[in-house]
Amino acid sequence: MKNDNLYALLEAHFPRDANAPCLETHDGLVYSWRDLHYGSARIAGWLRSLNLAPDADGCAPRVAAQVDKSPEALMLYLATLRAGMVFVPLNTAYQRAELDYFLRDAAPAVFVCTPQREPELRPLAHAAGVAHVVTLGDDRSGSLLQAAASHADGFATAPRAAHDLAAILYTSGTTGRSKGAMLSHGNLAANALVLDEFWGFKEEREAGGHDVLLHALPLFHVHGLFVASHAALLAGAPMLFLPKFDARRVMQLLPRATVFMGVPTYYTRLLAEPGFDRHVCRNMRLFVSGSAPLAAETHREFHRRTGHVILERYGMSETLMLVSNPYFGIAARDRIAGTVGVPLPGVSVRVVSDDGALCAVGEIGHVQVKGPSVFRGYWRMPEKTAEEFTADGYFKTGDVGHFGGTGKPDGYLTLVGRSKDLIISGGYNVYPKEVEGYIDEMDGVAESAVIGLPHPDFGEAVAAVVVGKPGATLREERIIAQLKEKIANYKVPKRVFVVDDLPRNAMGKVQKNVLRERYGKTFAA
Ligand code: MLC
């Protein structure tokens, strides 16, 4: 019987030569495909040896990880798939309160953290009910690999059905409470396969080409963990694996690569490097941008400097990739700056008005989607899940946009805004409500409004406008310092403005548009 475990699909695509390079690290270590396969087998063997039982509702045990990027971190993900368990990757920037919430909510049986944070996080995890806490450093240190070392190189990948859960990815919530998006083996496989074709990996492979992916994204979100890693694993393409994005390092390695994926900040930082030119990009076939809107100006400047047209695509944690500019036909007219492209094969995208009626071409409305990569719902939040789907099964993305429009082909989708109050900073989503909650509970604070302001590096940056209680003296540095202790650094406002009152409309609602206008030039280049 066919095994729909995602690992079985990936493994079937590994190159015949198991000694070929699969991962090369920043310090020159080379891992072969055999190393990846054996390494993940040993960790999977350890996971299985724990004899973990599924939950009462049949859900497989979760493995949560907050670890730095390394080949072993990728092995841990693959091992979790192989063992038939559910992977819960956590941003390394998350602080105690955030982790406490995720661990209680996902209720993992295993939590993997860095050796550095173990003294702080082990008690937190145990208090949250996690039975097994192990560590993994980015230099092959830690108790996870020690425990895995005695397990066999071989591991029979657990049989899984396509609808079985493979991963839970936390996305910040509009209400301030994060939600876990449940992705199945089938969701991940469908998306990986469609991108393999749509972005030319398959054709390249069949033509005897040799793709090399320069992987600079973090491993705890959809973009780096799924889109980029799956593309390379399915293509049998080696990855130049950087621990984090560093423009100079990327420039040094680009001549050895054929594919690069990043958030817009990566592209603006590369363009800021004087030596970044056609010569550096001479062997590249594809640059992909996503997770945040790519400025049309960056798109054009990149083309001018390198001769390459960035391929912008659109997706989210709940849906994986949905819409993409075309790969085939690489003329600038096919990849249109400011649009996210056309729906991927098998994905249905519609734009509807407030009352649910289909919008005409060029008319702005809510973007809704359906397809094989759309998630199964939010972890243990059936009401929230029901709210976010229409009666006919479309997921409400929260993005606002239109098809076609002036000078654009009818099938191309352009995003113009969001119906939810959301900031995207350097490719990370920040919900103002969550940050406001932390500010409002500080001593002396009466109320706050958190907004996104244009930022030359991060696209948008978080800022807060805060009103003090009568007699209280609030200081910007103090508020920022207090927030840094509580929430991930990318959510912390880069500026805090203390004011006497917030502008409100006739209904008493804070007018964030007025604040965005007032402070709009704060981060001007
Ligand atoms: C870091 N900082 C950020 C930030 N990243 N602040 C705002 N927004 C961000 N994204 C903080 C740092 O902690 C530091 O704070 C200060 O800003 C400057 O740090 P830096 O050294 O410049 O940051 P750096 O480490 O270089 O990180 C920036 C970055 C990184 C852009 C390289 O954020 C990044 O890799 N982003 C990619 C995010 C991503 O993978 N998104 C995909 C989501 S999946 P201080 O105060 O300590 O100085 C998804 C679905 C889809 O959305 O469709 O893809």
PDB file of all heavy atoms in Angstrom, residues 217-218 221-223 244-245 263 265-266 269 290-291 313 315-317 321 425-429 457-458 484 489-490 494, ligand 1:
ATOM      1  N   LEU A 217      17.009  31.280   4.637  1.00  0.00           N
ATOM      2  CA  LEU A 217      15.815  31.565   5.447  1.00  0.00           C
ATOM      3  C   LEU A 217      15.839  30.791   6.760  1.00  0.00           C
ATOM      4  O   LEU A 217      16.442  29.718   6.837  1.00  0.00           O
ATOM      5  CB  LEU A 217      14.567  31.152   4.665  1.00  0.00           C
ATOM      6  CG  LEU A 217      14.134  32.064   3.524  1.00  0.00           C
ATOM      7  CD1 LEU A 217      13.310  31.274   2.510  1.00  0.00           C
ATOM      8  CD2 LEU A 217      13.334  33.259   4.047  1.00  0.00           C
ATOM      9  N   PRO A 218      15.133  31.297   7.769  1.00  0.00           N
ATOM     10  CA  PRO A 218      15.011  30.502   8.994  1.00  0.00           C
ATOM     11  C   PRO A 218      14.205  29.222   8.745  1.00  0.00           C
ATOM     12  O   PRO A 218      13.418  29.149   7.808  1.00  0.00           O
ATOM     13  CB  PRO A 218      14.265  31.427   9.953  1.00  0.00           C
ATOM     14  CG  PRO A 218      13.711  32.541   9.151  1.00  0.00           C
ATOM     15  CD  PRO A 218      14.458  32.606   7.866  1.00  0.00           C
ATOM     16  N   HIS A 221       9.567  28.618   9.800  1.00  0.00           N
ATOM     17  CA  HIS A 221       8.333  29.079   9.161  1.00  0.00           C
ATOM     18  C   HIS A 221       8.180  28.384   7.819  1.00  0.00           C
ATOM     19  O   HIS A 221       9.122  27.783   7.294  1.00  0.00           O
ATOM     20  CB  HIS A 221       8.352  30.593   8.966  1.00  0.00           C
ATOM     21  CG  HIS A 221       8.161  31.356  10.239  1.00  0.00           C
ATOM     22  ND1 HIS A 221       7.067  31.184  11.044  1.00  0.00           N
ATOM     23  CD2 HIS A 221       8.924  32.299  10.841  1.00  0.00           C
ATOM     24  CE1 HIS A 221       7.161  31.987  12.084  1.00  0.00           C
ATOM     25  NE2 HIS A 221       8.293  32.670  12.000  1.00  0.00           N
ATOM     26  N   VAL A 222       6.986  28.546   7.274  1.00  0.00           N
ATOM     27  CA  VAL A 222       6.634  27.916   6.008  1.00  0.00           C
ATOM     28  C   VAL A 222       7.665  28.173   4.897  1.00  0.00           C
ATOM     29  O   VAL A 222       8.030  27.256   4.158  1.00  0.00           O
ATOM     30  CB  VAL A 222       5.236  28.454   5.583  1.00  0.00           C
ATOM     31  CG1 VAL A 222       4.981  28.278   4.108  1.00  0.00           C
ATOM     32  CG2 VAL A 222       4.154  27.764   6.397  1.00  0.00           C
ATOM     33  N   HIS A 223       8.126  29.403   4.783  1.00  0.00           N
ATOM     34  CA  HIS A 223       8.989  29.761   3.667  1.00  0.00           C
ATOM     35  C   HIS A 223      10.296  28.948   3.670  1.00  0.00           C
ATOM     36  O   HIS A 223      10.651  28.319   2.682  1.00  0.00           O
ATOM     37  CB  HIS A 223       9.273  31.271   3.721  1.00  0.00           C
ATOM     38  CG  HIS A 223       9.719  31.864   2.422  1.00  0.00           C
ATOM     39  ND1 HIS A 223       9.685  33.208   2.177  1.00  0.00           N
ATOM     40  CD2 HIS A 223      10.216  31.311   1.300  1.00  0.00           C
ATOM     41  CE1 HIS A 223      10.138  33.444   0.950  1.00  0.00           C
ATOM     42  NE2 HIS A 223      10.471  32.317   0.412  1.00  0.00           N
ATOM     43  N   LYS A 244      21.870  32.057   8.915  1.00  0.00           N
ATOM     44  CA  LYS A 244      20.904  33.157   8.811  1.00  0.00           C
ATOM     45  C   LYS A 244      21.261  33.997   7.595  1.00  0.00           C
ATOM     46  O   LYS A 244      22.343  33.829   7.012  1.00  0.00           O
ATOM     47  CB  LYS A 244      20.892  34.013  10.085  1.00  0.00           C
ATOM     48  CG  LYS A 244      22.227  34.649  10.430  1.00  0.00           C
ATOM     49  CD  LYS A 244      22.084  35.634  11.580  1.00  0.00           C
ATOM     50  CE  LYS A 244      21.375  36.884  11.109  1.00  0.00           C
ATOM     51  NZ  LYS A 244      21.622  38.075  11.886  1.00  0.00           N
ATOM     52  N   PHE A 245      20.379  34.886   7.230  1.00  0.00           N
ATOM     53  CA  PHE A 245      20.646  35.725   6.070  1.00  0.00           C
ATOM     54  C   PHE A 245      21.730  36.743   6.394  1.00  0.00           C
ATOM     55  O   PHE A 245      21.686  37.435   7.409  1.00  0.00           O
ATOM     56  CB  PHE A 245      19.380  36.475   5.629  1.00  0.00           C
ATOM     57  CG  PHE A 245      19.662  37.421   4.498  1.00  0.00           C
ATOM     58  CD1 PHE A 245      19.755  36.954   3.200  1.00  0.00           C
ATOM     59  CD2 PHE A 245      19.882  38.764   4.736  1.00  0.00           C
ATOM     60  CE1 PHE A 245      20.046  37.818   2.153  1.00  0.00           C
ATOM     61  CE2 PHE A 245      20.179  39.640   3.699  1.00  0.00           C
ATOM     62  CZ  PHE A 245      20.263  39.162   2.411  1.00  0.00           C
ATOM     63  N   VAL A 263      12.691  36.840   1.639  1.00  0.00           N
ATOM     64  CA  VAL A 263      11.677  37.859   1.884  1.00  0.00           C
ATOM     65  C   VAL A 263      12.213  39.155   1.253  1.00  0.00           C
ATOM     66  O   VAL A 263      13.415  39.256   0.988  1.00  0.00           O
ATOM     67  CB  VAL A 263      11.396  38.022   3.398  1.00  0.00           C
ATOM     68  CG1 VAL A 263      10.879  36.713   3.984  1.00  0.00           C
ATOM     69  CG2 VAL A 263      12.647  38.466   4.169  1.00  0.00           C
ATOM     70  N   THR A 265      13.097  41.959   2.319  1.00  0.00           N
ATOM     71  CA  THR A 265      14.244  42.565   3.016  1.00  0.00           C
ATOM     72  C   THR A 265      15.572  42.004   2.490  1.00  0.00           C
ATOM     73  O   THR A 265      16.567  42.714   2.394  1.00  0.00           O
ATOM     74  CB  THR A 265      14.127  42.322   4.541  1.00  0.00           C
ATOM     75  OG1 THR A 265      12.913  42.903   4.993  1.00  0.00           O
ATOM     76  CG2 THR A 265      15.290  42.904   5.312  1.00  0.00           C
ATOM     77  N   TYR A 266      15.588  40.706   2.151  1.00  0.00           N
ATOM     78  CA  TYR A 266      16.828  40.110   1.637  1.00  0.00           C
ATOM     79  C   TYR A 266      17.225  40.810   0.335  1.00  0.00           C
ATOM     80  O   TYR A 266      18.407  41.064   0.076  1.00  0.00           O
ATOM     81  CB  TYR A 266      16.654  38.613   1.342  1.00  0.00           C
ATOM     82  CG  TYR A 266      16.421  37.707   2.543  1.00  0.00           C
ATOM     83  CD1 TYR A 266      16.210  38.225   3.813  1.00  0.00           C
ATOM     84  CD2 TYR A 266      16.419  36.327   2.394  1.00  0.00           C
ATOM     85  CE1 TYR A 266      15.981  37.383   4.890  1.00  0.00           C
ATOM     86  CE2 TYR A 266      16.200  35.479   3.471  1.00  0.00           C
ATOM     87  CZ  TYR A 266      15.970  36.013   4.715  1.00  0.00           C
ATOM     88  OH  TYR A 266      15.749  35.175   5.775  1.00  0.00           O
ATOM     89  N   ARG A 269      18.438  44.396   0.938  1.00  0.00           N
ATOM     90  CA  ARG A 269      19.787  44.371   1.525  1.00  0.00           C
ATOM     91  C   ARG A 269      20.835  43.981   0.479  1.00  0.00           C
ATOM     92  O   ARG A 269      21.947  44.508   0.490  1.00  0.00           O
ATOM     93  CB  ARG A 269      19.841  43.413   2.725  1.00  0.00           C
ATOM     94  CG  ARG A 269      19.109  43.956   3.941  1.00  0.00           C
ATOM     95  CD  ARG A 269      19.369  43.110   5.174  1.00  0.00           C
ATOM     96  NE  ARG A 269      18.587  43.590   6.308  1.00  0.00           N
ATOM     97  CZ  ARG A 269      18.630  43.064   7.517  1.00  0.00           C
ATOM     98  NH1 ARG A 269      19.426  42.041   7.757  1.00  0.00           N
ATOM     99  NH2 ARG A 269      17.893  43.553   8.496  1.00  0.00           N
ATOM    100  N   GLY A 290       8.757  36.246  -1.292  1.00  0.00           N
ATOM    101  CA  GLY A 290       7.440  36.048  -0.687  1.00  0.00           C
ATOM    102  C   GLY A 290       7.442  36.408   0.775  1.00  0.00           C
ATOM    103  O   GLY A 290       8.435  36.920   1.288  1.00  0.00           O
ATOM    104  N   SER A 291       6.325  36.168   1.441  1.00  0.00           N
ATOM    105  CA  SER A 291       6.077  36.416   2.870  1.00  0.00           C
ATOM    106  C   SER A 291       5.728  37.856   3.178  1.00  0.00           C
ATOM    107  O   SER A 291       5.291  38.162   4.286  1.00  0.00           O
ATOM    108  CB  SER A 291       7.255  36.008   3.774  1.00  0.00           C
ATOM    109  OG  SER A 291       7.731  34.733   3.446  1.00  0.00           O
ATOM    110  N   ARG A 313       5.630  35.464  -5.278  1.00  0.00           N
ATOM    111  CA  ARG A 313       4.540  34.501  -5.080  1.00  0.00           C
ATOM    112  C   ARG A 313       3.820  34.848  -3.781  1.00  0.00           C
ATOM    113  O   ARG A 313       4.311  35.651  -2.977  1.00  0.00           O
ATOM    114  CB  ARG A 313       5.088  33.081  -5.099  1.00  0.00           C
ATOM    115  CG  ARG A 313       6.227  32.770  -4.104  1.00  0.00           C
ATOM    116  CD  ARG A 313       5.743  32.737  -2.733  1.00  0.00           C
ATOM    117  NE  ARG A 313       6.695  32.457  -1.692  1.00  0.00           N
ATOM    118  CZ  ARG A 313       6.392  32.610  -0.407  1.00  0.00           C
ATOM    119  NH1 ARG A 313       5.244  33.073  -0.026  1.00  0.00           N
ATOM    120  NH2 ARG A 313       7.269  32.335   0.521  1.00  0.00           N
ATOM    121  N   GLY A 315       1.511  33.279  -0.407  1.00  0.00           N
ATOM    122  CA  GLY A 315       1.017  32.150   0.365  1.00  0.00           C
ATOM    123  C   GLY A 315       0.895  32.557   1.817  1.00  0.00           C
ATOM    124  O   GLY A 315       1.087  33.721   2.164  1.00  0.00           O
ATOM    125  N   MET A 316       0.581  31.615   2.654  1.00  0.00           N
ATOM    126  CA  MET A 316       0.548  31.862   4.088  1.00  0.00           C
ATOM    127  C   MET A 316       0.635  30.528   4.831  1.00  0.00           C
ATOM    128  O   MET A 316       0.515  29.465   4.199  1.00  0.00           O
ATOM    129  CB  MET A 316      -0.697  32.664   4.485  1.00  0.00           C
ATOM    130  CG  MET A 316      -2.005  32.135   3.957  1.00  0.00           C
ATOM    131  SD  MET A 316      -3.288  33.426   3.896  1.00  0.00           S
ATOM    132  CE  MET A 316      -3.415  33.818   5.621  1.00  0.00           C
ATOM    133  N   SER A 317       0.841  30.598   6.153  1.00  0.00           N
ATOM    134  CA  SER A 317       1.019  29.352   6.909  1.00  0.00           C
ATOM    135  C   SER A 317      -0.189  28.430   6.742  1.00  0.00           C
ATOM    136  O   SER A 317      -0.041  27.212   6.667  1.00  0.00           O
ATOM    137  CB  SER A 317       1.208  29.641   8.394  1.00  0.00           C
ATOM    138  OG  SER A 317       2.328  30.441   8.580  1.00  0.00           O
ATOM    139  N   MET A 321       1.672  27.647  -0.492  1.00  0.00           N
ATOM    140  CA  MET A 321       1.720  28.580  -1.630  1.00  0.00           C
ATOM    141  C   MET A 321       0.468  28.477  -2.494  1.00  0.00           C
ATOM    142  O   MET A 321       0.019  27.381  -2.822  1.00  0.00           O
ATOM    143  CB  MET A 321       2.960  28.317  -2.480  1.00  0.00           C
ATOM    144  CG  MET A 321       4.262  28.454  -1.706  1.00  0.00           C
ATOM    145  SD  MET A 321       4.410  30.069  -0.914  1.00  0.00           S
ATOM    146  CE  MET A 321       4.012  29.702   0.799  1.00  0.00           C
ATOM    147  N   SER A 425       6.625  42.642   9.160  1.00  0.00           N
ATOM    148  CA  SER A 425       7.931  43.280   9.345  1.00  0.00           C
ATOM    149  C   SER A 425       9.033  42.299   8.972  1.00  0.00           C
ATOM    150  O   SER A 425       9.180  41.255   9.614  1.00  0.00           O
ATOM    151  CB  SER A 425       8.066  43.701  10.815  1.00  0.00           C
ATOM    152  OG  SER A 425       9.356  44.210  11.046  1.00  0.00           O
ATOM    153  N   GLY A 426       9.764  42.616   7.921  1.00  0.00           N
ATOM    154  CA  GLY A 426      10.863  41.735   7.501  1.00  0.00           C
ATOM    155  C   GLY A 426      10.393  40.304   7.261  1.00  0.00           C
ATOM    156  O   GLY A 426      11.151  39.365   7.447  1.00  0.00           O
ATOM    157  N   GLY A 427       9.140  40.130   6.860  1.00  0.00           N
ATOM    158  CA  GLY A 427       8.619  38.796   6.553  1.00  0.00           C
ATOM    159  C   GLY A 427       7.978  38.103   7.741  1.00  0.00           C
ATOM    160  O   GLY A 427       7.494  36.988   7.608  1.00  0.00           O
ATOM    161  N   TYR A 428       7.952  38.750   8.902  1.00  0.00           N
ATOM    162  CA  TYR A 428       7.281  38.170  10.071  1.00  0.00           C
ATOM    163  C   TYR A 428       5.955  38.889  10.306  1.00  0.00           C
ATOM    164  O   TYR A 428       5.904  40.127  10.255  1.00  0.00           O
ATOM    165  CB  TYR A 428       8.133  38.336  11.339  1.00  0.00           C
ATOM    166  CG  TYR A 428       9.362  37.460  11.385  1.00  0.00           C
ATOM    167  CD1 TYR A 428      10.568  37.975  11.829  1.00  0.00           C
ATOM    168  CD2 TYR A 428       9.312  36.125  11.018  1.00  0.00           C
ATOM    169  CE1 TYR A 428      11.711  37.176  11.894  1.00  0.00           C
ATOM    170  CE2 TYR A 428      10.449  35.326  11.087  1.00  0.00           C
ATOM    171  CZ  TYR A 428      11.631  35.855  11.520  1.00  0.00           C
ATOM    172  OH  TYR A 428      12.749  35.068  11.590  1.00  0.00           O
ATOM    173  N   ASN A 429       4.923  38.128  10.627  1.00  0.00           N
ATOM    174  CA  ASN A 429       3.617  38.722  10.911  1.00  0.00           C
ATOM    175  C   ASN A 429       3.533  39.164  12.364  1.00  0.00           C
ATOM    176  O   ASN A 429       3.883  38.409  13.267  1.00  0.00           O
ATOM    177  CB  ASN A 429       2.508  37.697  10.665  1.00  0.00           C
ATOM    178  CG  ASN A 429       2.339  37.390   9.191  1.00  0.00           C
ATOM    179  OD1 ASN A 429       3.076  37.917   8.349  1.00  0.00           O
ATOM    180  ND2 ASN A 429       1.384  36.557   8.871  1.00  0.00           N
ATOM    181  N   ASP A 457      14.148  49.014   5.475  1.00  0.00           N
ATOM    182  CA  ASP A 457      14.761  47.690   5.550  1.00  0.00           C
ATOM    183  C   ASP A 457      13.700  46.598   5.744  1.00  0.00           C
ATOM    184  O   ASP A 457      13.683  45.600   5.030  1.00  0.00           O
ATOM    185  CB  ASP A 457      15.768  47.674   6.714  1.00  0.00           C
ATOM    186  CG  ASP A 457      16.561  46.365   6.779  1.00  0.00           C
ATOM    187  OD1 ASP A 457      16.800  45.745   5.725  1.00  0.00           O
ATOM    188  OD2 ASP A 457      16.942  45.970   7.891  1.00  0.00           O
ATOM    189  N   PHE A 458      12.804  46.796   6.695  1.00  0.00           N
ATOM    190  CA  PHE A 458      11.832  45.753   7.026  1.00  0.00           C
ATOM    191  C   PHE A 458      10.513  45.870   6.256  1.00  0.00           C
ATOM    192  O   PHE A 458       9.596  45.092   6.489  1.00  0.00           O
ATOM    193  CB  PHE A 458      11.548  45.761   8.536  1.00  0.00           C
ATOM    194  CG  PHE A 458      12.746  45.364   9.375  1.00  0.00           C
ATOM    195  CD1 PHE A 458      13.226  46.186  10.383  1.00  0.00           C
ATOM    196  CD2 PHE A 458      13.394  44.160   9.148  1.00  0.00           C
ATOM    197  CE1 PHE A 458      14.335  45.821  11.149  1.00  0.00           C
ATOM    198  CE2 PHE A 458      14.499  43.780   9.907  1.00  0.00           C
ATOM    199  CZ  PHE A 458      14.964  44.610  10.910  1.00  0.00           C
ATOM    200  N   LYS A 484      10.897  43.875  25.419  1.00  0.00           N
ATOM    201  CA  LYS A 484      11.926  42.928  24.940  1.00  0.00           C
ATOM    202  C   LYS A 484      12.027  41.707  25.844  1.00  0.00           C
ATOM    203  O   LYS A 484      12.437  40.635  25.406  1.00  0.00           O
ATOM    204  CB  LYS A 484      13.285  43.627  24.859  1.00  0.00           C
ATOM    205  CG  LYS A 484      13.442  44.418  23.569  1.00  0.00           C
ATOM    206  CD  LYS A 484      14.880  44.844  23.337  1.00  0.00           C
ATOM    207  CE  LYS A 484      14.991  45.480  21.962  1.00  0.00           C
ATOM    208  NZ  LYS A 484      16.313  46.006  21.669  1.00  0.00           N
ATOM    209  N   ASN A 489      11.687  39.730  19.581  1.00  0.00           N
ATOM    210  CA  ASN A 489      12.202  41.078  19.277  1.00  0.00           C
ATOM    211  C   ASN A 489      11.584  41.722  18.039  1.00  0.00           C
ATOM    212  O   ASN A 489      11.446  42.935  17.973  1.00  0.00           O
ATOM    213  CB  ASN A 489      13.732  41.058  19.192  1.00  0.00           C
ATOM    214  CG  ASN A 489      14.232  39.991  18.247  1.00  0.00           C
ATOM    215  OD1 ASN A 489      13.502  39.556  17.355  1.00  0.00           O
ATOM    216  ND2 ASN A 489      15.473  39.552  18.422  1.00  0.00           N
ATOM    217  N   TYR A 490      11.174  40.921  17.054  1.00  0.00           N
ATOM    218  CA  TYR A 490      10.615  41.537  15.844  1.00  0.00           C
ATOM    219  C   TYR A 490       9.228  42.138  16.098  1.00  0.00           C
ATOM    220  O   TYR A 490       8.742  42.930  15.298  1.00  0.00           O
ATOM    221  CB  TYR A 490      10.580  40.531  14.672  1.00  0.00           C
ATOM    222  CG  TYR A 490       9.665  39.353  14.899  1.00  0.00           C
ATOM    223  CD1 TYR A 490       8.324  39.420  14.566  1.00  0.00           C
ATOM    224  CD2 TYR A 490      10.146  38.169  15.463  1.00  0.00           C
ATOM    225  CE1 TYR A 490       7.480  38.351  14.794  1.00  0.00           C
ATOM    226  CE2 TYR A 490       9.304  37.097  15.682  1.00  0.00           C
ATOM    227  CZ  TYR A 490       7.981  37.189  15.350  1.00  0.00           C
ATOM    228  OH  TYR A 490       7.140  36.138  15.581  1.00  0.00           O
ATOM    229  N   LYS A 494       9.832  49.592  17.251  1.00  0.00           N
ATOM    230  CA  LYS A 494      11.146  50.236  17.080  1.00  0.00           C
ATOM    231  C   LYS A 494      11.066  51.661  17.630  1.00  0.00           C
ATOM    232  O   LYS A 494      12.094  52.248  17.957  1.00  0.00           O
ATOM    233  CB  LYS A 494      11.540  50.251  15.598  1.00  0.00           C
ATOM    234  CG  LYS A 494      11.531  48.862  14.957  1.00  0.00           C
ATOM    235  CD  LYS A 494      12.932  48.291  14.766  1.00  0.00           C
ATOM    236  CE  LYS A 494      12.897  46.916  14.134  1.00  0.00           C
ATOM    237  NZ  LYS A 494      13.204  45.818  15.045  1.00  0.00           N
TER     238      LYS A 494
HETATM  239  C1  MLC B   1      15.090  40.930  13.373  1.00  0.00           C
HETATM  240  N1  MLC B   1      14.662  42.061  13.969  1.00  0.00           N
HETATM  241  C2  MLC B   1      13.550  42.461  13.371  1.00  0.00           C
HETATM  242  C3  MLC B   1      13.289  41.512  12.384  1.00  0.00           C
HETATM  243  N2  MLC B   1      14.252  40.580  12.414  1.00  0.00           N
HETATM  244  N3  MLC B   1      12.750  43.512  13.580  1.00  0.00           N
HETATM  245  C4  MLC B   1      11.683  43.635  12.806  1.00  0.00           C
HETATM  246  N4  MLC B   1      11.360  42.758  11.850  1.00  0.00           N
HETATM  247  C5  MLC B   1      12.152  41.683  11.615  1.00  0.00           C
HETATM  248  N5  MLC B   1      11.822  40.800  10.684  1.00  0.00           N
HETATM  249  C6  MLC B   1      15.262  42.820  15.053  1.00  0.00           C
HETATM  250  C7  MLC B   1      16.501  42.238  15.631  1.00  0.00           C
HETATM  251  O1  MLC B   1      16.158  41.417  16.678  1.00  0.00           O
HETATM  252  C8  MLC B   1      17.258  43.460  16.069  1.00  0.00           C
HETATM  253  O2  MLC B   1      16.678  44.005  17.217  1.00  0.00           O
HETATM  254  C9  MLC B   1      16.982  44.413  14.976  1.00  0.00           C
HETATM  255  O3  MLC B   1      15.676  44.028  14.487  1.00  0.00           O
HETATM  256  C10 MLC B   1      17.927  44.416  13.821  1.00  0.00           C
HETATM  257  O4  MLC B   1      18.411  43.120  13.628  1.00  0.00           O
HETATM  258  P1  MLC B   1      19.133  42.631  12.326  1.00  0.00           P
HETATM  259  O5  MLC B   1      20.460  42.090  12.694  1.00  0.00           O
HETATM  260  O6  MLC B   1      19.056  43.638  11.251  1.00  0.00           O
HETATM  261  O7  MLC B   1      18.152  41.483  11.953  1.00  0.00           O
HETATM  262  P2  MLC B   1      18.524  40.184  11.238  1.00  0.00           P
HETATM  263  O8  MLC B   1      18.987  39.181  12.193  1.00  0.00           O
HETATM  264  O9  MLC B   1      19.411  40.531  10.083  1.00  0.00           O
HETATM  265  O10 MLC B   1      17.091  39.691  10.720  1.00  0.00           O
HETATM  266  C11 MLC B   1      16.393  40.368   9.756  1.00  0.00           C
HETATM  267  C12 MLC B   1      15.921  39.370   8.733  1.00  0.00           C
HETATM  268  C13 MLC B   1      15.110  38.288   9.476  1.00  0.00           C
HETATM  269  C14 MLC B   1      15.076  40.092   7.706  1.00  0.00           C
HETATM  270  C15 MLC B   1      17.112  38.726   8.036  1.00  0.00           C
HETATM  271  O11 MLC B   1      14.061  38.913  10.169  1.00  0.00           O
HETATM  272  C16 MLC B   1      14.578  37.242   8.574  1.00  0.00           C
HETATM  273  O12 MLC B   1      15.294  36.331   8.161  1.00  0.00           O
HETATM  274  N6  MLC B   1      13.286  37.313   8.210  1.00  0.00           N
HETATM  275  C17 MLC B   1      12.651  36.269   7.406  1.00  0.00           C
HETATM  276  C18 MLC B   1      11.355  35.940   8.015  1.00  0.00           C
HETATM  277  C19 MLC B   1      10.723  34.727   7.364  1.00  0.00           C
HETATM  278  O13 MLC B   1      11.339  33.681   7.140  1.00  0.00           O
HETATM  279  N7  MLC B   1       9.462  34.806   7.074  1.00  0.00           N
HETATM  280  C20 MLC B   1       8.723  33.726   6.451  1.00  0.00           C
HETATM  281  C21 MLC B   1       7.421  33.542   7.188  1.00  0.00           C
HETATM  282  S1  MLC B   1       6.457  32.313   6.335  1.00  0.00           S
HETATM  283  P3  MLC B   1      17.551  44.572  18.409  1.00  0.00           P
HETATM  284  O14 MLC B   1      16.580  45.407  19.137  1.00  0.00           O
HETATM  285  O15 MLC B   1      17.997  43.368  19.133  1.00  0.00           O
HETATM  286  O16 MLC B   1      18.652  45.366  17.775  1.00  0.00           O
HETATM  287  C22 MLC B   1       5.209  33.184   5.631  1.00  0.00           C
HETATM  288  C23 MLC B   1       4.396  32.465   4.646  1.00  0.00           C
HETATM  289  C24 MLC B   1       4.891  32.748   3.280  1.00  0.00           C
HETATM  290  O17 MLC B   1       5.069  34.335   5.861  1.00  0.00           O
HETATM  291  O18 MLC B   1       4.109  32.982   2.368  1.00  0.00           O
HETATM  292  O19 MLC B   1       6.099  32.730   3.106  1.00  0.00           O
END
